[in-house]
Each structure stands twice: as C-alpha cells, then as structure tokens.
Amino acid sequence: MERRFPEQDQVLGHANGQYVPNGKMYFDKIGKREILLNTPIFDHFHLQSYGPENEWEWRLQDVHGGIGVYPRGGYWYISNDFKLLLENFSIAPSYHFYETRLLYKGKKLVYWIFQFPINPLENYNYKKSEYYLDGERVTGLKNADEYDAYDDDIWKKTKKKIEWKKLVLQDTYDFSIGIDGSKIVSENLKDAIEKMQLKGFIFSALAYEVVAPASEAIK
C-alpha cells in the first residue's frame, strides 16, 4: 500500500471510525481475528493523518490503512471497486468484508473493511516448502502449530529467524499472506488492478519463491 509521497510532501490519510456507533466494540472483536456476521453498515469513517487537518483529504485511494478507532492487525480499508474486483478472484480463507460509509469532502462513499485471511500459516505445505536456519534446511515440521512452536523456541533461544527459500501453498489463491506478512497476489489479480487503474498499490518481487499446488509459480 502506497503511504508516503515525498514529491508532494504529503502523508496519506487513513480511515478513522471514531464516529461509528459502537464502533470500538465491533473493531476490538475484529482485531482479535473474529469474523462478525450480520453487522450494521459502519457509518461513518473519515480520513485522518498526522499532518494538519486541512491536508487529511488531499488524496483518496482504493486502499487505505486505519488510524484511531479501527481494527488492529491485518486489515485494509478498500473502495467498492476493489471489493467487487476481489470477489472475482479466489482469496485464501478465512476473510470477510464489512460495509462502511466514508465521509470524504462532504459526500458519503461506500468503502469496506477487508479482513485479511485469518491464520495464513495453515495454508502452507511445510513438508514441501524450503526454509533454513543457519544455512541448514529445517525438516520434520508437519503443520502450522509445529512450525509456530519451533519458530518461537528458536527466537527465544538464539534471536535468529528462519529464512524461507520456497513457500508451497496448500491451495491456489489469487490473494494470500506470505510468511513475512506480505500480501501475495497472482499475476492475474495484479494485471486486473493495474488495468482498472486502482490507486494506492505497489507491487514488488518477493524474496522467496511461492509455488501453487499445480507447481505454477506465483510472482
């Protein structure tokens, strides 16, 4: 997500839901990775940054982060256009969209909280993936719980991180979460975002290979 714009000397505004009725109650639950069904339309959010208030609305993107009263953790605040596009692609489970209204320059727009796939580690094939510690390949870990426990133990004892070379997914998705928290998109989804000229996205190569079950690399 594009956040800073040195040429304009501006900082992107993020979504604040401080005026949403009971917003903190809902957002605290979402921030704890709960998926809430049948929620009301969250009306309304506004954009806010750490700059002067008269600069908060200088730029509207199809993706924003959160500030103030907002779910903590892995969530994006996205436009209706981006939400409709995502619905035509496969997203790793489990995820959810929450309808909101964004008050922007005196008008209310349809925007959504996009709750990222929960527990992305469960979508990895640990037996086929390749990851190393001090140059030695780590083997024998069969699932997310075993990997998480091993990773936590190694960090506590040595302050060293596991280095991934190849991430093999259990299933093929156009949108998923990488081991380093990066958002992984398929070439098709990337092309669709660029074709629609949606604003606010930056694409870069991953430091490791991502492989779908059919052995088709996702770049």
Side-chain angles (χ1 to χ4, degrees), residues 23-37:
K24 188 177 185 306
M25 177 191 70
Y26 289 112
F27 303 152
D28 284 349
K29 291 180 179 180
I30 295 172
K32 294 176 182 177
R33 299 193 295 181
E34 292 185 43
I35 289 181
L36 307 180
L37 304 177

Side-chain angles (χ1 to χ4, degrees), residues 33 93-94 116-124 144:
R33 299 193 295 181
S94 296
F116 289 158
I118 296 173
N119 299 324
L121 294 177
E122 294 179 0
N123 185 39
Y124 304 158

Side-chain angles (χ1 to χ4, degrees), residues 14 17-18 21 36 39 54 96 105-106 131 142 144 174 181 203 209:
H14 297 296
Q18 69 183 91
L36 307 180
T39 55
N54 62 354
H96 198 65
K105 294 187 175 180
Y131 39 96
K142 300 184 291 296
D174 293 292
F203 300 100
E209 181 183 9

Side-chain angles (χ1 to χ4, degrees), residues 50-69:
Y50 295 104
E53 186 172 348
N54 62 354
E55 297 179 357
W56 289 356
E57 296 182 321
W58 81 276
R59 178 181 173 91
L60 181 65
Q61 297 190 160
D62 292 281
V63 57
H64 290 263
I67 193 172
V69 182

